[in-house]
Amino acid sequence: MKKKKGWLSLLLAAVFLVSGCAQGNNESAPPSSGTGNEGTSSSTDSGSKDGSALAPAKLKIVLYGDESNRMKELAKTSFYDTIKKEINAEVEFQFLPWTEYGGGKTDLMLSTGEDFATYTDANYMVKSVAKGLYADLTPYADAAADLSKNVDEASFKAFQLEGKQYAIPVGNKPNSAEFYSALVRQDLLEEAGMTQVTSLGELEQFYDKVHAIHPELIGYANTDARRLLQYNYTDKNLYWQNDFIALDESVKDDQIISWFETEEFKSYANLMHGWYEKGIIPKYAATNVPQLQSDWNSGKAMFWAGTAARPFEGAATISQAVPDAKLVNYFLGSGRPKISRGTYSTAFFVSTAAKDPERYIMFFNLLQKNQELYDLFAYGIEGTDYTLDEKGRLTKITTDSLIPDWLLMNKNFMRFDNMVPDEFIAEYKAWDDGAIISKGAGFNFDNTPVKNEETKLNGVFTEYLAPIGSGFSDYDTAFPKALDRLKAAGIDKYIAEYQKQFSEWYAKQQ
């Protein structure tokens, strides 16, 4: 695992910028007024029905991040025409800041009964289903017939509760070892006279040397390094179910781990506190975590937690700020199998207030239906937004992002930039080789029996445990009080209930 898994530079890494449809205004897109080069792709499969037999529908798709001008244009022209032709629906794309994901305005929209769909994770899904906020999509599964051929079956199971489908997965890509590698600014590493980073000592040496040259840069652009630093504080192969629960993937059993009550957490917290004291994690992070993401995007940070795709995800943003930036993934240890949760990018839920859940699934289906539709939503219009060479390699003409670049990625359709080395493509496609699926993949905890305890525990996490785990507070000083709060909030009852449910589920998988 010490072998570096990166490639050349972010400038080249416009690779398969899987950007798609997005519109941030609050009105349905009007009919196309575009010219010939904005025309609708003829994407309906030969012999298949188009949307003319369906009653008209209006859908709202919420996406997170920034909305580009090109996105607005396509949402009113080619995207509009294609979606109208395929499923006879008008789609309003609304962008929200990432701070509204999994809470905030998203929760408000759900609780006030808005008709919309957006993406979720398994934990947010469980909480929302318990509140009756997600539509049961099981009766409409046939509407995702094309998508289901291009997205793994295990990805669908990850978003099921008691046999019911509450979200439709999208994407099919290497996902193992998410955030277990250090995504390093290779250009800064080489400027500092180093060639690689394969240990914690080398990573800290990298920070020291670059800090001496560029004191204006920050070190780590995050406050969570549980996975990245795992080789240095435990011999276990840990994988987290949520903030409180971990599994040891090196042991074939059903034993869950109460993370905050372990010696591993103590060792990890001490490492993070050392980083905070040293300045690797900037002091402002204690009160302004979102600034870390901004600093990373603007090229003001030295490293981040990596994934197989992160050397090119979000590449356009960073390359605009630092054209010569290079990113490479490094593992700070070796000898442990990579763990995967599955190959999906995300999954879309539909609010219970939706008038036509099936039509939403028809839209999700378009995103992973065929190459022609994928190219449209991911890259735009051929000849206007991109060109393809004889090998199907991509050259971007416009740099505006469409659908967020991480969301659509599907190995059956994704295209690589014509300047991406063949070596990188081979490494990316082989990233999951030897990986293991987490023994907890597909398990979704029903928090109903411990709902009150979970609410209290989340409060303790935010107020006491997150500052310790992020290095802001000294473990020896702060943890005794945090543990008292954890116990008072009901951690023992919560762990017992989680263990009971997990053991019952695990036994059925054997």
Side-chain angles (χ1 to χ4, degrees):
M1 282 189 178
K2 288 186 178 180
K3 182 181 179 182
K4 66 184 182 182
K5 294 282 186 178
W7 67 293
L8 192 55
S9 80
L10 279 177
L11 185 59
L12 305 183
V15 281
F16 39 156
L17 287 179
V18 202
S19 317
C21 36
Q23 176 185 330
N25 59 34
N26 294 316
E27 301 176 358
S28 297
S32 172
S33 58
T35 57
N37 63 2
E38 298 286 322
T40 303
S41 299
S42 178
S43 52
T44 305
D45 290 338
S46 177
S48 67
K49 296 180 180 179
D50 61 18
S52 59
L54 298 168
K58 291 188 177 183
L59 312 177
K60 178 187 286 188
I61 302 295
V62 172
L63 302 171
Y64 299 90
D66 295 324
E67 173 192 23
S68 72
N69 289 329
R70 183 58 176 157
M71 181 56 240
K72 295 178 183 179
E73 295 174 9
L74 289 174
K76 295 175 181 178
T77 54
S78 293
F79 292 173
Y80 177 91
D81 293 341
T82 297
I83 297 169
K84 188 74 173 176
K85 177 181 178 181
E86 291 278 345
I87 63 172
N88 198 18
E90 297 179 6
V91 175
E92 172 195 344
F93 297 100
Q94 179 180 354
F95 273 82
L96 294 177
W98 266 108
T99 52
E100 307 304 317
Y101 170 80
K105 188 170 183 179
T106 305
D107 271 357
L108 180 62
M109 293 171 69
L110 284 167
S111 62
T112 56
E114 287 202 35
D115 183 333
F116 75 105
T118 188
Y119 27 97
T120 185
D121 55 58
N123 289 326
Y124 186 45
M125 176 189 73
V126 171
K127 296 174 184 177
S128 299
V129 169
K131 298 176 184 177
L133 300 175
Y134 285 9
D136 176 10
L137 303 178
T138 313
Y140 317 110
D142 288 348
D146 301 292
L147 181 148
S148 64
K149 297 174 184 177
N150 295 304
V151 177
D152 286 350
E153 181 182 359
S155 296
F156 281 84
K157 291 182 178 179
F159 293 93
Q160 294 175 359
L161 289 173
E162 298 181 352
K164 295 181 178 180
Q165 194 76 47
Y166 284 101
I168 302 299
V170 175
N172 190 350
K173 64 181 183 179
N175 265 338
S176 64
E178 286 183 308
F179 317 126
Y180 283 70
S181 62
L183 184 65
V184 172
R185 282 278 303 276
Q186 184 74 13
D187 54 307
L188 294 174
L189 186 73
E190 294 172 1
E191 183 181 0
M194 299 176 66
T195 58
Q196 62 181 3
V197 170
T198 58
S199 68
L200 175 59
E202 288 180 349
L203 187 64
E204 293 182 345
Q205 183 184 16
F206 162 59
Y207 170 79
D208 289 337
K209 288 187 174 184
V210 174
H211 181 68
I213 302 170
H214 298 288
E216 73 280 5
L217 300 183
I218 67 170
Y220 185 45
N222 207 331
T223 60
D224 184 356
R226 286 172 294 171
R227 298 162 177 82
L228 188 154
L229 293 176
Q230 185 179 160
Y231 295 94
N232 297 279
Y233 64 78
T234 182
D235 292 329
K236 298 173 181 175
N237 201 3
L238 295 178
Y239 197 74
W240 281 263
Q241 295 291 97
N242 58 34
D243 288 323
F244 299 93
I245 304 291
L247 300 173
D248 182 1
E249 302 287 355
S250 63
V251 181
K252 293 184 178 180
D253 64 16
D254 62 353
Q255 186 62 46
I256 67 170
I257 297 169
S258 180
W259 165 238
F260 293 114
E261 298 182 89
T262 63
E263 285 298 312
E264 283 85 0
F265 174 67
K266 177 180 179 179
S267 298
Y268 165 68
N270 285 330
L271 282 172
M272 292 296 281
H273 188 59
W275 274 15
Y276 184 65
E277 291 292 298
K278 187 180 178 67
I280 294 177
I281 297 174
K283 295 297 189 290
Y284 71 71
T287 56
N288 190 5
V289 171
Q291 184 61 39
L292 293 170
Q293 179 73 62
S294 297
D295 283 347
W296 173 258
N297 289 340
S298 60
K300 297 177 182 178
M302 300 178 198
F303 66 100
W304 203 24
T307 69
R310 273 198 171 171
F312 49 80
E313 284 183 353
T317 302
I318 301 181
S319 63
Q320 287 174 8
V322 186
D324 296 327
K326 303 176 186 177
L327 293 180
V328 173
N329 278 322
Y330 292 100
F331 290 92
L332 306 184
S334 61
R336 302 176 197 178
K338 296 177 184 176
I339 307 163
S340 175
R341 57 168 169 79
T343 60
Y344 59 88
S345 297
T346 188
F348 280 91
F349 72 82
V350 178
S351 67
T352 52
K355 297 181 181 66
D356 195 343
E358 185 174 23
R359 201 72 61 92
Y360 276 105
I361 297 183
M362 290 180 181
F363 170 75
F364 307 151
N365 187 65
L366 298 183
L367 300 178
Q368 310 272 262
K369 182 177 180 179
N370 56 38
Q371 187 69 60
E372 194 167 4
L373 281 171
Y374 185 93
D375 286 346
L376 173 66
F377 292 123
Y379 313 119
I381 306 299
E382 185 173 4
T384 300
D385 298 297
Y386 70 93
T387 61
L388 299 175
D389 65 17
E390 65 279 0
K391 296 195 300 183
R393 291 293 199 93
L394 185 79
T395 297
K396 295 285 289 183
I397 299 173
T398 58
T399 59
D400 278 6
S401 62
L402 304 180
I403 278 181
D405 56 6
W406 55 272
L407 194 154
L408 290 178
M409 286 182 180
N410 190 308
K411 62 186 179 184
N412 297 325
F413 304 123
M414 59 177 57
R415 297 185 185 276
F416 293 85
D417 187 276
N418 65 352
M419 298 181 71
V420 178
D422 291 338
E423 178 186 1
F424 170 77
I425 298 174
E427 288 183 346
Y428 178 79
K429 291 182 176 180
W431 179 271
D432 275 352
D433 289 358
I436 59 174
I437 298 293
S438 170
K439 59 186 177 184
F443 172 73
N444 291 307
F445 178 59
D446 177 8
N447 70 345
T448 304
V450 288
K451 192 173 182 179
N452 291 336
E453 286 79 9
E454 187 177 74
T455 299
K456 294 176 183 177
L457 289 170
N458 287 333
V460 173
F461 171 79
T462 300
E463 185 174 358
Y464 295 97
L465 295 168
I468 298 172
S470 299
F472 307 152
S473 303
D474 174 66
Y475 178 92
D476 291 334
T477 302
F479 187 72
K481 184 176 182 179
L483 182 60
D484 288 342
R485 297 292 191 277
L486 202 61
K487 293 295 185 181
I491 187 65
D492 293 335
K493 181 179 178 181
Y494 179 81
I495 293 296
E497 180 62 30
Y498 201 105
Q499 183 67 72
K500 176 188 172 210
Q501 291 187 31
F502 185 75
S503 294
E504 291 173 353
W505 174 86
Y506 186 83
K508 295 176 182 179
Q509 313 309 308
Q510 306 311 303

